[in-house]
Amino acid sequence: MKPSHSQQRIGPRPLFRSLAWLRICAIAGQSAAVLVCALWMHLDIPLLPLMVGICSLAVFAVFAAWRLTQPWPIKQWETILHVAVDTLILGYLLHFTGGASNPFITLLIVPIALTAAALPVSALLSVASLVGAAYVVLLFWYVPLPAPMHGETAYGFSLHVLGMGVNFVIMALLLGFFTKRLARSLRFQQLEVQRVRERALRDEGILAIATQAAGAAHELNTPLSTMRTLLPELRREHAEDKALAEDLELLESQVDRCRTILREMVAFGKAQLSQEPELLTVERFIHGCLERFQLLRPEADLALAMDQEAARTVLRTPPGLRHALLNLLNNAADASAANHSQAVALTVRSDGEWLELIVIDHGPGFTDTDELGVLGQSRKQTGLGIGLALAEATAERLEGELTASNTGSGAQMRLRLPLTVVAAP
């Protein structure tokens, strides 16, 4: 898949972070170079102006590090401004050390390379124009480098070549390391875009199923009302046939159950539209879910473990969480039944800032080829392939996560939800 034009940009924040690290390396390298030339090689360089420039860069580096800790987003113009400050300070230092004749003049390429990897063309043109202007100024306006202390041409040439070699190593390390960091950020961004696209496709499928379900619920209400009217009359007409009366009574209870499900669907839709969550303690919420699960699966042997801290937590119960938990319990009951077991375990606990709902079965477990949460795919012969997808979608909507693992005697589904989202203040 070829990335789109918008995917090829990494963004201001990764470049901002890379500039912060690069700035620290520049301060260390520039300080070492100035001190070596002045104290060891005894070159007559303007030490005070150079140290002022390096100290100014250090102060700016402290400000940039503080800016990275702030919550508000980093804008593109802000990143360009930081690149401009770095370029101007580097140009200031080069002005006092030979200008364009300094072997380290090629360090001006670094801002252009990093901007090209992270920002759009307009930002690149701005930075390239600034760097070009700085280079032109340094061609004509600079303080010449002092002559070597022995005044020998060969020694001076060797010193220049040595500077070029050091500059080459620095350029190779900087461009290799920081370009690698930016490329890694780009790969992560592309993976995130791919995950978002897959989630969008899944959500579109869920929305289509929900639309069809709403239409089917509206159409089913009429025949269910007719059946609910006729079944009591049939029971009265065949009261002497006890076997048939029991079957009709069971059928009537199932019709009532269907009508209850339809009413719950309507109530769920209203709650989803109103965006007003139900306030319940975790204990009441869990016991309400388990009561309904026992009605649906009376044969299941359910074991509950819940710590007191989690039980007292008040939930802003969002629409869909109850159905997500019931889907996980139903899947666990089916998995245990496939392994001739009725045991299902539910563990509810608090883990720091997270609420964990852990469902454990005694089934065959997962294999490496299982694709969990894929809409329309089910490991059960009678499954529709939407239960786990709906549970995963609910977890993502609540900024949580749904993970699966094997326990050795079955499988475990762990639903983790942040308390900052699901818990009441």
Side-chain angles (χ1 to χ4, degrees):
M1 179 182 65
K2 183 178 179 180
S4 65
H5 180 67
S6 62
Q7 292 174 334
Q8 293 175 358
R9 305 190 200 124
I10 300 174
R13 190 170 189 85
L15 176 58
F16 201 96
R17 189 183 302 111
S18 297
L19 287 174
W21 285 104
L22 183 59
R23 199 171 290 118
I24 295 174
C25 295
I27 293 170
Q30 291 164 0
S31 301
V34 169
L35 294 178
V36 167
C37 291
L39 302 180
W40 182 57
M41 301 180 67
H42 302 288
L43 293 178
D44 187 17
I45 58 176
L47 184 60
L48 181 59
L50 292 176
M51 295 308 297
V52 169
I54 295 174
C55 291
S56 300
L57 185 60
V59 172
F60 185 71
V62 173
F63 167 76
W66 169 83
R67 177 63 182 88
L68 275 172
T69 62
Q70 302 308 304
W72 56 84
I74 296 175
K75 303 295 185 181
Q76 177 178 305
W77 65 265
E78 191 175 0
T79 306
I80 297 176
L81 180 61
H82 280 237
V83 173
V85 171
D86 292 333
T87 303
L88 292 176
I89 293 179
L90 178 59
Y92 170 84
L93 296 176
L94 290 172
H95 165 75
F96 287 100
T97 54
S101 63
N102 191 317
F104 293 97
I105 189 67
T106 52
L107 287 176
L108 289 173
I109 299 177
V110 176
I112 299 178
L114 296 180
T115 304
L119 299 179
V121 176
S122 58
L124 174 61
L125 292 177
S126 301
V127 173
S129 301
L130 177 63
V131 172
Y135 188 86
V136 171
V137 170
L138 291 173
L139 280 174
F140 301 101
W141 186 46
Y142 61 89
V143 176
L145 282 172
M149 67 177 190
H150 295 293
E152 298 178 2
T153 304
Y155 180 81
F157 179 75
S158 299
L159 183 62
H160 186 81
V161 171
L162 177 62
M164 293 176 60
V166 173
N167 178 60
F168 177 82
V169 173
I170 293 175
M171 289 285 292
L173 291 177
L174 290 180
L175 290 179
F177 178 73
F178 288 100
T179 304
K180 182 67 175 179
R181 284 173 57 90
L182 293 173
R184 183 174 61 181
S185 298
L186 174 61
R187 287 195 297 270
F188 287 160
Q189 187 182 60
Q190 289 176 341
L191 290 175
E192 183 62 26
V193 169
Q194 183 179 358
R195 283 195 293 267
V196 170
R197 184 182 294 112
E198 292 175 352
R199 293 172 186 171
L201 292 174
R202 183 202 59 198
D203 292 343
E204 287 180 6
I206 293 175
L207 180 60
I209 293 174
T211 303
Q212 294 293 329
H218 180 70
E219 296 177 5
L220 284 174
N221 188 53
T222 299
L224 287 175
S225 299
T226 303
M227 294 170 64
R228 191 171 182 272
T229 303
L230 294 178
L231 284 172
E233 296 180 4
L234 290 174
R235 287 179 59 192
R236 286 194 298 271
E237 292 177 4
H238 301 278
E240 67 282 356
D241 191 343
K242 294 183 179 181
L244 181 58
E246 291 177 357
D247 292 340
L248 291 174
E249 182 180 1
L250 177 61
L251 184 58
E252 187 177 358
S253 66
Q254 294 300 314
V255 170
D256 289 336
R257 179 60 187 158
C258 291
R259 286 173 57 85
T260 301
I261 293 175
L262 291 181
R263 285 194 295 269
E264 289 178 352
M265 289 175 61
V266 174
F268 174 76
K270 291 181 179 179
Q272 187 77 13
L273 290 175
S274 65
Q275 296 294 322
E276 294 180 0
E278 183 182 8
L279 294 179
L280 289 175
T281 63
V282 171
E283 185 175 14
R284 287 186 59 192
F285 170 74
I286 293 298
H287 283 297
C289 292
L290 297 188
E291 288 176 2
R292 182 170 177 181
F293 175 70
Q294 292 291 355
L295 289 175
L296 295 174
R297 306 296 293 265
E299 77 281 1
D301 183 13
L302 180 64
L304 173 64
M306 179 165 46
D307 64 37
Q308 293 301 314
E309 181 181 357
R312 292 190 299 266
T313 303
V314 179
L315 291 181
R316 296 177 294 182
T317 310
L321 181 57
R322 182 177 288 105
H323 292 81
L325 180 57
L326 287 174
N327 284 332
L328 296 179
L329 292 172
N330 274 318
N331 287 343
D334 292 334
S336 295
N339 218 19
H340 307 290
S341 174
Q342 304 298 334
V344 176
L346 172 63
T347 301
V348 183
R349 68 185 185 187
S350 295
D351 182 16
E353 296 298 322
W354 296 83
L355 175 66
E356 290 190 344
L357 307 177
I358 304 172
V359 179
I360 302 175
D361 62 54
H362 292 269
F366 299 112
T367 63
D368 295 336
T369 58
D370 286 333
E371 296 187 45
L372 304 178
V374 178
L375 190 63
Q377 296 188 12
S378 176
R379 303 171 71 239
K380 301 178 290 185
Q381 294 181 352
T382 58
L384 299 177
I386 61 175
L388 201 55
L390 291 174
E392 187 176 19
T394 300
E396 292 175 357
R397 187 170 65 252
L398 299 177
E399 302 179 17
E401 59 183 5
L402 179 65
T403 58
S405 61
N406 290 323
T407 62
S409 59
Q412 171 183 284
M413 300 297 299
R414 183 188 301 267
L415 178 60
R416 284 169 52 87
L417 303 172
L419 291 176
T420 54
V421 175
V422 300

